[in-house]
PDB file of all heavy atoms in Angstrom:
ATOM      1  N   PHE A 208      -1.362-193.610  77.269  1.00 93.00           N
ATOM      2  CA  PHE A 208      -1.123-194.045  75.899  1.00 93.00           C
ATOM      3  C   PHE A 208      -1.577-192.981  74.899  1.00 93.00           C
ATOM      4  O   PHE A 208      -2.752-192.649  74.830  1.00 93.00           O
ATOM      5  CB  PHE A 208      -1.853-195.362  75.633  1.00 93.00           C
ATOM      6  CG  PHE A 208      -1.583-196.416  76.683  1.00 93.00           C
ATOM      7  CD1 PHE A 208      -2.597-196.858  77.511  1.00 93.00           C
ATOM      8  CD2 PHE A 208      -0.311-196.941  76.840  1.00 93.00           C
ATOM      9  CE1 PHE A 208      -2.355-197.817  78.480  1.00 93.00           C
ATOM     10  CE2 PHE A 208      -0.055-197.902  77.803  1.00 93.00           C
ATOM     11  CZ  PHE A 208      -1.072-198.340  78.629  1.00 93.00           C
ATOM     12  N   LYS A 209      -0.651-192.474  74.157  1.00 89.00           N
ATOM     13  CA  LYS A 209      -0.965-191.422  73.172  1.00 89.00           C
ATOM     14  C   LYS A 209      -1.281-192.067  71.823  1.00 89.00           C
ATOM     15  O   LYS A 209      -0.505-192.032  70.869  1.00 89.00           O
ATOM     16  CB  LYS A 209       0.218-190.459  73.046  1.00 89.00           C
ATOM     17  CG  LYS A 209       0.718-189.889  74.365  1.00 89.00           C
ATOM     18  CD  LYS A 209      -0.374-189.166  75.144  1.00 89.00           C
ATOM     19  CE  LYS A 209       0.169-188.598  76.449  1.00 89.00           C
ATOM     20  NZ  LYS A 209      -0.885-187.940  77.250  1.00 89.00           N
ATOM     21  N   THR A 210      -2.442-192.712  71.776  1.00 95.00           N
ATOM     22  CA  THR A 210      -2.859-193.383  70.537  1.00 95.00           C
ATOM     23  C   THR A 210      -4.240-192.851  70.135  1.00 95.00           C
ATOM     24  O   THR A 210      -4.986-192.317  70.976  1.00 95.00           O
ATOM     25  CB  THR A 210      -2.955-194.904  70.735  1.00 95.00           C
ATOM     26  OG1 THR A 210      -4.068-195.189  71.602  1.00 95.00           O
ATOM     27  CG2 THR A 210      -1.669-195.469  71.336  1.00 95.00           C
ATOM     28  N   PRO A 211      -4.598-192.992  68.884  1.00 95.00           N
ATOM     29  CA  PRO A 211      -5.937-192.558  68.446  1.00 95.00           C
ATOM     30  C   PRO A 211      -7.050-193.238  69.253  1.00 95.00           C
ATOM     31  O   PRO A 211      -8.068-192.605  69.564  1.00 95.00           O
ATOM     32  CB  PRO A 211      -5.975-192.975  66.973  1.00 95.00           C
ATOM     33  CG  PRO A 211      -4.548-192.961  66.542  1.00 95.00           C
ATOM     34  CD  PRO A 211      -3.775-193.451  67.734  1.00 95.00           C
ATOM     35  N   GLU A 212      -6.864-194.497  69.579  1.00 96.00           N
ATOM     36  CA  GLU A 212      -7.892-195.228  70.320  1.00 96.00           C
ATOM     37  C   GLU A 212      -8.072-194.664  71.729  1.00 96.00           C
ATOM     38  O   GLU A 212      -9.199-194.451  72.197  1.00 96.00           O
ATOM     39  CB  GLU A 212      -7.536-196.709  70.401  1.00 96.00           C
ATOM     40  CG  GLU A 212      -8.640-197.559  71.042  1.00 96.00           C
ATOM     41  CD  GLU A 212      -8.311-199.041  71.051  1.00 96.00           C
ATOM     42  OE1 GLU A 212      -7.134-199.393  70.826  1.00 96.00           O
ATOM     43  OE2 GLU A 212      -9.225-199.848  71.288  1.00 96.00           O
ATOM     44  N   SER A 213      -6.959-194.400  72.425  1.00 95.00           N
ATOM     45  CA  SER A 213      -7.065-193.867  73.788  1.00 95.00           C
ATOM     46  C   SER A 213      -7.597-192.439  73.769  1.00 95.00           C
ATOM     47  O   SER A 213      -8.450-192.063  74.584  1.00 95.00           O
ATOM     48  CB  SER A 213      -5.701-193.914  74.489  1.00 95.00           C
ATOM     49  OG  SER A 213      -4.744-193.128  73.792  1.00 95.00           O
ATOM     50  N   THR A 214      -7.104-191.640  72.827  1.00 95.00           N
ATOM     51  CA  THR A 214      -7.576-190.245  72.718  1.00 95.00           C
ATOM     52  C   THR A 214      -9.060-190.195  72.377  1.00 95.00           C
ATOM     53  O   THR A 214      -9.823-189.408  72.960  1.00 95.00           O
ATOM     54  CB  THR A 214      -6.772-189.488  71.640  1.00 95.00           C
ATOM     55  OG1 THR A 214      -5.379-189.505  71.984  1.00 95.00           O
ATOM     56  CG2 THR A 214      -7.243-188.046  71.540  1.00 95.00           C
ATOM     57  N   GLY A 215      -9.478-191.038  71.461  1.00 96.00           N
ATOM     58  CA  GLY A 215     -10.887-191.072  71.081  1.00 96.00           C
ATOM     59  C   GLY A 215     -11.780-191.479  72.237  1.00 96.00           C
ATOM     60  O   GLY A 215     -12.884-190.937  72.413  1.00 96.00           O
ATOM     61  N   THR A 216     -11.299-192.406  73.051  1.00 97.00           N
ATOM     62  CA  THR A 216     -12.080-192.857  74.210  1.00 97.00           C
ATOM     63  C   THR A 216     -12.180-191.747  75.252  1.00 97.00           C
ATOM     64  O   THR A 216     -13.239-191.534  75.857  1.00 97.00           O
ATOM     65  CB  THR A 216     -11.440-194.116  74.839  1.00 97.00           C
ATOM     66  OG1 THR A 216     -11.329-195.128  73.835  1.00 97.00           O
ATOM     67  CG2 THR A 216     -12.296-194.637  75.979  1.00 97.00           C
ATOM     68  N   LEU A 217     -11.087-191.013  75.457  1.00 96.00           N
ATOM     69  CA  LEU A 217     -11.108-189.896  76.414  1.00 96.00           C
ATOM     70  C   LEU A 217     -12.080-188.812  75.957  1.00 96.00           C
ATOM     71  O   LEU A 217     -12.814-188.233  76.774  1.00 96.00           O
ATOM     72  CB  LEU A 217      -9.697-189.317  76.574  1.00 96.00           C
ATOM     73  CG  LEU A 217      -8.701-190.185  77.339  1.00 96.00           C
ATOM     74  CD1 LEU A 217      -7.298-189.618  77.234  1.00 96.00           C
ATOM     75  CD2 LEU A 217      -9.112-190.304  78.803  1.00 96.00           C
ATOM     76  N   ILE A 218     -12.097-188.551  74.667  1.00 96.00           N
ATOM     77  CA  ILE A 218     -13.036-187.552  74.131  1.00 96.00           C
ATOM     78  C   ILE A 218     -14.479-188.022  74.351  1.00 96.00           C
ATOM     79  O   ILE A 218     -15.355-187.235  74.752  1.00 96.00           O
ATOM     80  CB  ILE A 218     -12.764-187.312  72.629  1.00 96.00           C
ATOM     81  CG1 ILE A 218     -11.430-186.603  72.453  1.00 96.00           C
ATOM     82  CG2 ILE A 218     -13.896-186.502  71.993  1.00 96.00           C
ATOM     83  CD1 ILE A 218     -10.970-186.484  71.010  1.00 96.00           C
ATOM     84  N   LYS A 219     -14.711-189.285  74.108  1.00 96.00           N
ATOM     85  CA  LYS A 219     -16.052-189.848  74.321  1.00 96.00           C
ATOM     86  C   LYS A 219     -16.476-189.701  75.780  1.00 96.00           C
ATOM     87  O   LYS A 219     -17.641-189.416  76.077  1.00 96.00           O
ATOM     88  CB  LYS A 219     -16.053-191.319  73.919  1.00 96.00           C
ATOM     89  CG  LYS A 219     -17.381-192.031  74.154  1.00 96.00           C
ATOM     90  CD  LYS A 219     -17.271-193.508  73.779  1.00 96.00           C
ATOM     91  CE  LYS A 219     -18.563-194.248  74.114  1.00 96.00           C
ATOM     92  NZ  LYS A 219     -18.456-195.703  73.803  1.00 96.00           N
ATOM     93  N   MET A 220     -15.514-189.848  76.706  1.00 96.00           N
ATOM     94  CA  MET A 220     -15.836-189.797  78.135  1.00 96.00           C
ATOM     95  C   MET A 220     -16.096-188.378  78.622  1.00 96.00           C
ATOM     96  O   MET A 220     -16.560-188.175  79.753  1.00 96.00           O
ATOM     97  CB  MET A 220     -14.728-190.470  78.948  1.00 96.00           C
ATOM     98  CG  MET A 220     -14.602-191.965  78.645  1.00 96.00           C
ATOM     99  SD  MET A 220     -13.338-192.824  79.599  1.00 96.00           S
ATOM    100  CE  MET A 220     -14.228-193.088  81.151  1.00 96.00           C
ATOM    101  N   LEU A 221     -15.836-187.396  77.778  1.00 96.00           N
ATOM    102  CA  LEU A 221     -16.207-186.015  78.121  1.00 96.00           C
ATOM    103  C   LEU A 221     -17.723-185.874  78.207  1.00 96.00           C
ATOM    104  O   LEU A 221     -18.238-184.914  78.783  1.00 96.00           O
ATOM    105  CB  LEU A 221     -15.644-185.044  77.081  1.00 96.00           C
ATOM    106  CG  LEU A 221     -14.116-184.856  77.084  1.00 96.00           C
ATOM    107  CD1 LEU A 221     -13.691-184.023  75.885  1.00 96.00           C
ATOM    108  CD2 LEU A 221     -13.679-184.189  78.384  1.00 96.00           C
ATOM    109  N   GLY A 222     -18.439-186.829  77.609  1.00 95.00           N
ATOM    110  CA  GLY A 222     -19.902-186.822  77.667  1.00 95.00           C
ATOM    111  C   GLY A 222     -20.454-187.776  78.704  1.00 95.00           C
ATOM    112  O   GLY A 222     -21.660-188.075  78.695  1.00 95.00           O
ATOM    113  N   ASP A 223     -19.608-188.248  79.589  1.00 95.00           N
ATOM    114  CA  ASP A 223     -20.049-189.182  80.637  1.00 95.00           C
ATOM    115  C   ASP A 223     -21.103-188.531  81.530  1.00 95.00           C
ATOM    116  O   ASP A 223     -21.028-187.327  81.819  1.00 95.00           O
ATOM    117  CB  ASP A 223     -18.836-189.597  81.489  1.00 95.00           C
ATOM    118  CG  ASP A 223     -19.128-190.789  82.382  1.00 95.00           C
ATOM    119  OD1 ASP A 223     -19.710-190.604  83.485  1.00 95.00           O
ATOM    120  OD2 ASP A 223     -18.789-191.915  81.983  1.00 95.00           O
ATOM    121  N   PRO A 224     -22.096-189.286  81.988  1.00 95.00           N
ATOM    122  CA  PRO A 224     -23.138-188.713  82.847  1.00 95.00           C
ATOM    123  C   PRO A 224     -22.634-188.273  84.225  1.00 95.00           C
ATOM    124  O   PRO A 224     -23.302-187.486  84.914  1.00 95.00           O
ATOM    125  CB  PRO A 224     -24.158-189.856  82.975  1.00 95.00           C
ATOM    126  CG  PRO A 224     -23.399-191.094  82.632  1.00 95.00           C
ATOM    127  CD  PRO A 224     -22.387-190.677  81.626  1.00 95.00           C
ATOM    128  N   ASN A 225     -21.457-188.751  84.629  1.00 96.00           N
ATOM    129  CA  ASN A 225     -20.917-188.380  85.944  1.00 96.00           C
ATOM    130  C   ASN A 225     -19.967-187.184  85.810  1.00 96.00           C
ATOM    131  O   ASN A 225     -19.039-187.203  85.004  1.00 96.00           O
ATOM    132  CB  ASN A 225     -20.192-189.579  86.558  1.00 96.00           C
ATOM    133  CG  ASN A 225     -19.660-189.284  87.949  1.00 96.00           C
ATOM    134  OD1 ASN A 225     -18.570-188.759  88.114  1.00 96.00           O
ATOM    135  ND2 ASN A 225     -20.459-189.630  88.954  1.00 96.00           N
ATOM    136  N   LYS A 226     -20.177-186.177  86.638  1.00 96.00           N
ATOM    137  CA  LYS A 226     -19.395-184.946  86.554  1.00 96.00           C
ATOM    138  C   LYS A 226     -17.911-185.186  86.810  1.00 96.00           C
ATOM    139  O   LYS A 226     -17.040-184.642  86.115  1.00 96.00           O
ATOM    140  CB  LYS A 226     -19.939-183.921  87.556  1.00 96.00           C
ATOM    141  CG  LYS A 226     -19.206-182.581  87.523  1.00 96.00           C
ATOM    142  CD  LYS A 226     -19.812-181.601  88.523  1.00 96.00           C
ATOM    143  CE  LYS A 226     -19.069-180.271  88.498  1.00 96.00           C
ATOM    144  NZ  LYS A 226     -19.647-179.306  89.474  1.00 96.00           N
ATOM    145  N   LEU A 227     -17.597-186.010  87.826  1.00 96.00           N
ATOM    146  CA  LEU A 227     -16.196-186.267  88.169  1.00 96.00           C
ATOM    147  C   LEU A 227     -15.470-186.981  87.029  1.00 96.00           C
ATOM    148  O   LEU A 227     -14.301-186.700  86.739  1.00 96.00           O
ATOM    149  CB  LEU A 227     -16.106-187.104  89.449  1.00 96.00           C
ATOM    150  CG  LEU A 227     -14.711-187.336  90.022  1.00 96.00           C
ATOM    151  CD1 LEU A 227     -14.005-186.019  90.293  1.00 96.00           C
ATOM    152  CD2 LEU A 227     -14.782-188.155  91.305  1.00 96.00           C
ATOM    153  N   VAL A 228     -16.177-187.871  86.354  1.00 96.00           N
ATOM    154  CA  VAL A 228     -15.601-188.580  85.215  1.00 96.00           C
ATOM    155  C   VAL A 228     -15.306-187.560  84.094  1.00 96.00           C
ATOM    156  O   VAL A 228     -14.234-187.585  83.483  1.00 96.00           O
ATOM    157  CB  VAL A 228     -16.533-189.686  84.707  1.00 96.00           C
ATOM    158  CG1 VAL A 228     -15.977-190.303  83.421  1.00 96.00           C
ATOM    159  CG2 VAL A 228     -16.705-190.767  85.778  1.00 96.00           C
ATOM    160  N   ARG A 229     -16.269-186.669  83.838  1.00 95.00           N
ATOM    161  CA  ARG A 229     -16.074-185.672  82.781  1.00 95.00           C
ATOM    162  C   ARG A 229     -14.892-184.772  83.112  1.00 95.00           C
ATOM    163  O   ARG A 229     -14.072-184.470  82.237  1.00 95.00           O
ATOM    164  CB  ARG A 229     -17.345-184.824  82.626  1.00 95.00           C
ATOM    165  CG  ARG A 229     -18.563-185.585  82.112  1.00 95.00           C
ATOM    166  CD  ARG A 229     -19.637-184.653  81.618  1.00 95.00           C
ATOM    167  NE  ARG A 229     -20.101-183.717  82.644  1.00 95.00           N
ATOM    168  CZ  ARG A 229     -21.079-183.970  83.507  1.00 95.00           C
ATOM    169  NH1 ARG A 229     -21.713-185.150  83.478  1.00 95.00           N
ATOM    170  NH2 ARG A 229     -21.456-183.069  84.396  1.00 95.00           N
ATOM    171  N   GLN A 230     -14.784-184.367  84.361  1.00 95.00           N
ATOM    172  CA  GLN A 230     -13.668-183.497  84.768  1.00 95.00           C
ATOM    173  C   GLN A 230     -12.332-184.214  84.626  1.00 95.00           C
ATOM    174  O   GLN A 230     -11.343-183.598  84.192  1.00 95.00           O
ATOM    175  CB  GLN A 230     -13.867-183.051  86.216  1.00 95.00           C
ATOM    176  CG  GLN A 230     -15.013-182.054  86.410  1.00 95.00           C
ATOM    177  CD  GLN A 230     -15.255-181.726  87.860  1.00 95.00           C
ATOM    178  OE1 GLN A 230     -14.913-182.486  88.768  1.00 95.00           O
ATOM    179  NE2 GLN A 230     -15.863-180.569  88.108  1.00 95.00           N
ATOM    180  N   SER A 231     -12.313-185.479  84.955  1.00 95.00           N
ATOM    181  CA  SER A 231     -11.073-186.258  84.850  1.00 95.00           C
ATOM    182  C   SER A 231     -10.661-186.416  83.396  1.00 95.00           C
ATOM    183  O   SER A 231      -9.471-186.331  83.063  1.00 95.00           O
ATOM    184  CB  SER A 231     -11.255-187.636  85.491  1.00 95.00           C
ATOM    185  OG  SER A 231     -11.549-187.512  86.881  1.00 95.00           O
TER     186      SER A 231
END
């Protein structure tokens, strides 16, 4: 989904404590 909400959530997940999550 190319929406501000989905994009914003993906950006937030770049700071996830799990490396595999951040890479994904």
Side-chain angles (χ1 to χ4, degrees):
F208 310 114
K209 308 303 181 182
T210 69
E212 186 177 15
S213 61
T214 301
T216 304
L217 288 171
I218 291 172
K219 177 182 176 182
M220 296 181 81
L221 290 172
D223 193 278
N225 183 274
K226 181 179 179 180
L227 186 57
V228 174
R229 294 196 302 272
Q230 289 175 337
S231 298

